[in-house]
Amino acid sequence: HRKVYGHIHSPGNEPSAITVGAANTFGTDVRSDDVIDTFSSRGPTRSFWKDPTGVKHYDNLIKPDLVAPGNKIIGAAAQDNALVTLHPELCVGKTNGNTGHMRLSGTSVAAPIVAGAAAVLLAENPNLTPNMVKMVLMYTAQPLAKFNMLEQGAGEMNIEGAVRLAKLVRTDL
């Protein structure tokens, strides 16, 4: 599968946003076998503005900021979920006649994992600013071998390291 770069657009091109790519962990606990999913968008951002003469000026931001698990993630599914109704192969089990759980892949699955991590950091240290949360997540991310910054940003999210660092940041800011 050929890697294509420059496919991160709005809202991921916002400099202050935490832009998340998807990693495949292959269901193991070790990071040595983790890879960036082929469907995960790669940077740089290619948004642009035109000057009065019509010349395009591209932003070329280094994105994504980090990656998180986003391949075959199992999560709760609402009863009568339209996605599972249309694609029953996504269903991973039924509970009491309800849909139960479903398996999904994508950056849309990886992004809420990072959002949950941000909530955990704020629970540990409520005085962190949004930029501090982003920087703690990026600083503690673990780079994956064989993948460059335009594929993985700072690396794969490391929630344990992020929580440890968040606890060390002053709370009287």
Side-chain angles (χ1 to χ4, degrees), residues 113-126 128 133 159 162-163 166-167:
I113 292 173
V114 174
V120 169
L121 296 182
L122 289 168
E124 291 295 332
N125 187 341
L128 294 174
V133 169
I159 187 62
V163 167
K167 287 179 178 180

Side-chain angles (χ1 to χ4, degrees), residues 3-5 8 18-24 31 34-37 40-44 62-68 107 114 137-158:
K3 295 178 183 180
V4 179
Y5 292 87
I8 296 178
I18 301 174
T19 306
V20 181
N24 186 345
R31 299 253 167 145
D34 293 5
V35 299
I36 305 302
D37 280 311
S40 188
S41 294
R42 288 154 170 81
I62 304 297
K63 293 280 189 162
D65 296 306
L66 71 161
V67 297
T107 55
V114 174
L137 289 169
M138 291 177 69
Y139 182 79
T140 57
Q142 297 174 312
L144 298 178
K146 301 178 187 167
F147 295 94
N148 65 51
M149 189 177 286
L150 294 175
E151 295 176 282
Q152 67 176 320
E156 192 170 6
M157 185 179 72
N158 171 8

